[in-house]
């Protein structure tokens, strides 16, 4: 096995005294794990940070063997790890990809969406500039893994206007009229997910609540504790920043 590709670092775990096991998301070959000799060294620690883009080269004698990985830095997002909101967003967005995606299966749309979210976090002057993009990234990941939500029309009436809620059981949209009397049992559907445009903080938090429900139920069923803890920290930081 020999692969050379650019990749987004999504997880790093110390292995032994000096090495590290790195999981990186490539566009054409999916998540690729590899062992980096000296990965905990002073020279490699700034390279092997979640959300950094690397040029990776994976080599293994057999397909069952953990590949040896050499990594060269293409783009660093190290400075963002010192900013609480940005660091929380990087941690969650990359952890979600690392945990949810099976190894060696290509998900080019997820790769591109993650790259876009990380770029938005890096470029936006405030969290409001990237928080809505994070919600859309989570929705896309759900869809790519086969758990997409049906937000095109009301599941009860077939209406395509005034879609305001989502059924937590079916993942289908519900119009405001059809939801009368059942609002407390449904999840709010923020308008920016159906009509586009900018999103205020109430809509962003509604979107995060929506995606959390389906990520928890459908994707992170047996692997939820650590990544969802990262997400909870991020949402808490956002709420405190807004308050």
């Amino acid at each position: 096995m020999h692969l050379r590709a650019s990749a987004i670092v999504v997880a790093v775990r110390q292995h032994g005294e000096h090495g590290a096991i790195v999981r990186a998301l490539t566009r054409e070959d999916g998540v690729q794990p590899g062992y980096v000799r000296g990965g905990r060294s002073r020279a490699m620690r700034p390279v092997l940070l979640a959300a950094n883009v690397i040029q990776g080269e994976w080599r293994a004698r057999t397909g069952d063997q953990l590949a040896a990985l050499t990594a060269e830095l293409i783009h660093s997002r190290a400075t963002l790890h010192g900013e609480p909101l940005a660091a929380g967003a990087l941690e969650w967005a990359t952890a979600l990809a690392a945990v949810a995606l099976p190894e060696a299966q290509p998900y080019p749309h997820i790769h591109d969406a993650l790259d876009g979210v990380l770029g938005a976090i890096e470029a936006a002057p405030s969290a409001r500039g990237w928080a809505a993009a994070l919600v859309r990234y989570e929705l896309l990941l759900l869809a790519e893994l086969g758990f997409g939500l049906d937000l095109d029309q009301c599941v009860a009436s077939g209406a395509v206007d005034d879609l305001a809620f989502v059924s937590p059981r079916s993942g289908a949209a519900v119009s405001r009229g059809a939801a009368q009397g059942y609002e407390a049992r449904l999840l709010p559907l923020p308008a920016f997910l159906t009509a586009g445009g900018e999103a205020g903080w109430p809509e962003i938090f509604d979107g995060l609540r929506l995606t959390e429900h389906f990520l928890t139920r459908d994707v992170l069923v047996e692997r939820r504790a650590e990544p969802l803890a990262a997400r909870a920290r991020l949402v808490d930081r956002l709420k405190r920043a807004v308050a």
Side-chain angles (χ1 to χ4, degrees), residues 81-92:
H81 286 268
E83 303 175 17
L85 280 177
L90 298 184
E91 180 185 16
W92 160 244

Side-chain angles (χ1 to χ4, degrees), residues 90-114:
L90 298 184
E91 180 185 16
W92 160 244
T94 54
L96 176 59
V99 173
L101 300 183
E103 291 181 3
Q105 294 190 24
Y107 288 95
H109 297 306
I110 294 178
H111 173 278
D112 293 349
L114 176 58

Side-chain angles (χ1 to χ4, degrees), residues 14 26 30 33 51 66 86 109 118 144 157 161 164 173 180 190 209 236:
Q14 183 173 345
T26 69
L66 178 64
H109 297 306
L118 298 177
E144 289 287 304
S157 67
D161 298 323
Q180 286 186 4
R209 178 186 170 196
D236 181 64

Side-chain angles (χ1 to χ4, degrees), residues 23 53 91 137 220 228:
R23 293 167 62 81
V53 181
E91 180 185 16
Y137 161 65
L220 303 175
L228 284 179

